[in-house]
Amino acid sequence: MNTKRPQVVAIQHLAFEDLGSFEAVFQDRGMDVTHLQAGVDDVGQALQEADIAVVLGGPIGVYETEAYPFLAAEVSALRQRMQARRPTLGICLGSQLMAQALGGRVYPGPQKEIGWGELVLYEAGQASPLRHLRGTSVLHWHGDTFDLPPEAELLASSPLYPHQAFRIGPTLLALQCHPEAQARTFERWLIGHAAELAAARLDVPTLRAQAQRLAPPLERAGQAMLAQWLDDLKREMTP
């Protein structure tokens, strides 16, 4: 008897911002993971067909559709998917794309939030998969923010940005931060974002040292968060 393996599609907007520690969780659960590059691959069809969609980060803004026309099609495909409440997880730019597709406004924030810090979890966040991130420093790396979409439940904030994470029911989850970050691959972030770090006058050796100390516990917490989200999805989708 052939049992179809669940299909996960990961939409990347930058080659080195991948699933990170999350990929092992999907693989351990017998799921097939496909990586697609936004702006290059046809992500629209994949977003309609995948059992689970993970929309990852990147350095561009949701509102930069004149420079990056593919963003409009991506938002449209996400809107169709989320209107059907199909399982969707957004990280950083992915969360902003979800917010835009759900009717929220995305715009530049007051300043860059780059570095490590804990989230402030609201009561709803404590009752969500984000509870596994409590007391754990997560990686922040963004300059944009969003207004909370209609129907969305605010889960977390940070001292700089009040809207860090939201969900709609058990199937749609969006995080502005990077719970998938890994110590092993963090150097790629420092190299890939060298110009941004220099412009923000951030100290690379300090970020590197913090990652070596803080990324391992985040890997464990992030994987536990994802595992609970998948468990919640399974309960929701089981007749």
Side-chain angles (χ1 to χ4, degrees), residues 31 35 60 71 81 87 112 137 142 161-162 182 196 233:
M31 300 180 177
H35 300 82
I60 59 179
L71 287 168
R81 180 181 180 86
K112 294 279 188 180
S137 288
H142 68 102
Y161 283 89
Q182 288 180 296
E196 182 180 25
L233 287 179

Side-chain angles (χ1 to χ4, degrees), residues 133-204:
L133 301 179
R134 183 175 52 221
T136 301
S137 288
V138 299
L139 178 64
H140 300 276
W141 206 301
H142 68 102
D144 288 348
T145 189
F146 51 77
D147 291 334
L148 203 63
E151 301 182 54
E153 185 177 33
L154 182 61
L155 304 179
S157 69
S158 72
L160 287 179
Y161 283 89
H163 295 161
Q164 281 286 351
F166 68 84
R167 70 174 176 179
I168 296 180
T171 59
L172 308 183
L173 180 61
L175 298 96
Q176 182 86 277
C177 61
H178 288 274
E180 84 290 2
Q182 288 180 296
R184 182 177 62 83
T185 58
F186 187 71
E187 194 69 23
R188 295 189 305 185
W189 290 64
L190 299 177
I191 298 168
H193 291 303
E196 182 180 25
L197 292 173
R201 298 181 181 275
L202 291 170
D203 185 67
V204 171

Side-chain angles (χ1 to χ4, degrees), residues 132-133 135-137 211-223:
H132 295 283
L133 301 179
T136 301
S137 288
Q212 293 306 307
R213 178 169 54 89
L214 299 172
L218 175 59
E219 291 176 32
R220 296 188 291 271
Q223 288 180 330

Side-chain angles (χ1 to χ4, degrees), residues 4 67 168 174 194 207 227:
K4 183 177 178 292
I168 296 180
L207 286 171

Side-chain angles (χ1 to χ4, degrees), residues 1-34:
M1 175 179 178
N2 290 327
T3 302
K4 183 177 178 292
R5 291 161 62 95
Q7 302 297 303
V8 179
V9 62
I11 308 298
Q12 294 179 250
H13 302 87
L14 198 60
F16 61 81
E17 291 196 25
D18 54 21
L19 284 171
S21 68
F22 285 4
E23 183 149 9
V25 177
F26 290 125
Q27 291 176 342
D28 288 347
R29 294 189 174 221
M31 300 180 177
D32 289 334
V33 179
T34 300

Side-chain angles (χ1 to χ4, degrees), residues 84-96:
R85 296 296 188 262
R86 301 195 65 196
T88 307
L89 173 63
I91 295 172
C92 198
L93 173 59
S95 72
Q96 297 158 8

